[in-house]
């Protein structure tokens, strides 16, 4: 794994044949996109399921789909087909502070507490 000057976290890219036909990277990327869509859809279904047995069935499928999504992501990252941006420490601290302030303002339990 490498961290380059643009703060991208990557692995060496596995070379694939380029052309008009789909290659391994294209297929895996398509599968990953599908799994992401399915996970989001199952999440919505879980929020709306009123029957306990149906909820449990959807939850099982959701967990399997989520694991497949993670496995595909790991495959793409290992092959250098998926890069991440390194987080800037200052931006992380700012986001944390903003989120903490927001939660403190929104929480019904913080009204009597000093911040």
């Amino acid at each position: 794994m490498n961290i380059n000057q643009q703060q991208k976290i990557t692995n060496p890219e596995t070379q694939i044949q380029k052309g008009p036909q789909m290659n391994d990277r294209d297929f895996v990327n398509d599968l990953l996109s599908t799994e992401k869509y399915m996970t989001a859809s199952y999440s919505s279904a879980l929020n709306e399921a009123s029957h306990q047995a149906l909820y449990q069935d959807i939850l099982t499928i959701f967990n399997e789909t989520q694991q497949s999504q993670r496995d595909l992501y790991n495959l793409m990252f290992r092959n250098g087909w998926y890069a991440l941006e390194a987080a800037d420490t200052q931006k992380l601290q700012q986001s944390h502070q903003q989120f903490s302030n927001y939660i403190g303002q929104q929480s019904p339990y913080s009204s009597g507490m000093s911040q």
Side-chain angles (χ1 to χ4, degrees), residues 54-81:
L54 176 61
Y55 176 86
Q56 288 300 322
D57 288 343
I58 295 171
L59 182 60
T60 299
I61 296 167
F62 170 83
N63 288 331
E64 291 170 358
T65 303
Q66 185 67 40
Q67 186 59 54
S68 293
Q69 176 185 331
R70 186 66 182 170
D71 293 343
L72 288 165
Y73 160 79
N74 285 332
L75 175 66
M76 289 194 72
F77 186 72
R78 263 193 326 269
N79 283 297
W81 300 335

Side-chain angles (χ1 to χ4, degrees), residues 3 5-9 84-96:
I3 299 178
Q5 285 76 12
Q6 292 95 17
Q7 295 299 309
K8 294 275 186 187
I9 302 169
L84 303 173
E85 280 190 38
D88 178 271
T89 304
Q90 186 176 1
K91 287 181 182 177
L92 280 175
Q93 290 172 342
Q94 286 174 335
S95 294
H96 178 266

